[in-house]
Amino acid sequence: MNYSRRQFLGALGTSTAVMAGLTQSVSAQETPVVRMGNNYFDPVGLHVEPGTTVRFEIAAGAHSATAYENRIPANATAFDSGVISSGGFEHTFEEPGTYDYYCIPHKSVGMVGRIVVGSPGGPAEERPIPDGNVPESDTIVEQGAIAYGSNTGGAGNSGGGRRGPGMGSGPGMMNDRNGGLPFVGGILGMLGLAGGLLYWVLGRGDVPSRSDNSALEILERRYDRGEIDEAEFQRRREQLETIGENESQ
């Protein structure tokens, strides 16, 4: 297998640039987007200011974004997209407080989410969510957005019920509202870099490199959240695919 120093450094540079982009604040987006995929909302926890319009957008399957009527602020309007399989749904959050919501077809498997508007408050803070898990409100406010698959002090049901899909036992990668690189994400990135360096030095063809795959996943996440446009997404994806093809030769 032919694998040059230039190709490796090119892949490394692309991965580093993509990871650096994850530190952008959700507040910098005009309309924050929550993706609805296979039994998940992403981000699962989101902090916005009063008056912010949030878009719930289909990534895969058919889902709804439906507020628990008894888990939103007293003066707030309950929202319900109904079950949709394409496009999206928008709701403007006016009243400060904590909003818990769920997917009608997938509530039983823990597809739930939480949005904190301004500061935490309301019925959602008084008792655990009845389905799945959501992050603690204070953590959501601190981080700005908590990615699906992360667990930073989940507020699940107190009876030890099922965990939401992908909710792990430790912190994962997430957006940092204050612009700092997440600690755990940084460690994982360093481990990926070390693995890539070892692979390049040894020149082994039977050990697949994960750096391009990781970079592609991060690139797709940035595109889904509207942080890069279509043209930039396609350009970077083609670059990563070209590197992957050279590795396989």
Side-chain angles (χ1 to χ4, degrees):
M1 181 185 69
N2 296 324
Y3 192 81
S4 70
R5 182 188 299 268
R6 177 175 298 177
Q7 289 170 342
F8 173 76
L9 293 177
L12 176 61
T14 301
S15 300
T16 302
V18 171
M19 289 190 67
L22 288 176
T23 63
Q24 285 190 355
S25 169
V26 169
S27 62
Q29 298 184 37
E30 200 168 278
T31 301
V33 175
V34 175
R35 303 280 286 177
M36 300 188 289
N38 293 323
N39 301 338
Y40 69 83
F41 293 105
D42 185 20
V44 66
L46 178 68
H47 178 240
V48 299
E49 296 300 329
T52 300
T53 297
V54 176
R55 179 173 175 80
F56 300 86
E57 194 167 277
I58 292 292
H63 307 284
S64 80
T66 305
Y68 289 93
E69 293 188 359
N70 62 346
R71 299 186 65 83
I72 61 176
N75 297 323
T77 301
F79 58 90
D80 182 9
S81 67
V83 178
I84 57 177
S85 58
S86 63
F89 164 78
E90 293 185 353
H91 179 75
T92 301
F93 292 83
E94 302 286 359
E95 291 293 327
T98 304
Y99 295 70
D100 284 348
Y101 62 97
Y102 62 93
C103 169
I104 293 173
H106 304 110
K107 179 171 68 170
S108 63
V109 295
M111 185 171 173
V112 295
R114 170 169 288 184
I115 294 176
V116 179
V117 179
S119 58
E125 299 297 334
E126 297 171 3
R127 55 190 179 276
I129 192 168
D131 310 285
N133 276 322
V134 291
E136 295 287 355
S137 296
D138 288 340
T139 305
I140 295 173
V141 173
E142 178 184 352
Q143 301 294 342
I146 296 181
Y148 162 74
S150 302
N151 180 10
T152 55
N157 61 56
S158 58
R162 67 175 62 85
R163 301 179 66 80
M167 297 293 285
S169 60
M173 186 175 295
M174 66 197 73
N175 283 355
D176 188 339
R177 188 173 181 83
N178 296 320
L181 183 65
F183 176 71
V184 174
I187 292 178
L188 293 176
M190 293 175 64
L191 291 175
L193 173 60
L197 287 170
L198 181 60
Y199 170 66
W200 174 67
V201 170
L202 295 178
R204 293 183 59 183
D206 58 342
V207 181
S209 172
R210 295 179 178 268
S211 60
D212 291 338
N213 289 337
S214 299
L216 182 57
E217 291 171 1
I218 296 170
L219 180 62
E220 290 174 344
R221 187 180 295 276
R222 289 193 63 202
Y223 173 67
D224 288 342
R225 294 181 178 175
E227 296 176 11
I228 59 175
D229 59 23
E230 175 74 19
E232 181 66 11
F233 170 73
Q234 294 295 343
R235 185 184 70 80
R236 296 190 184 186
R237 185 176 69 174
E238 289 173 3
Q239 182 179 14
L240 289 175
E241 289 175 347
T242 299
I243 293 171
E245 290 173 359
N246 290 336
E247 287 182 351
S248 62
Q249 293 176 356

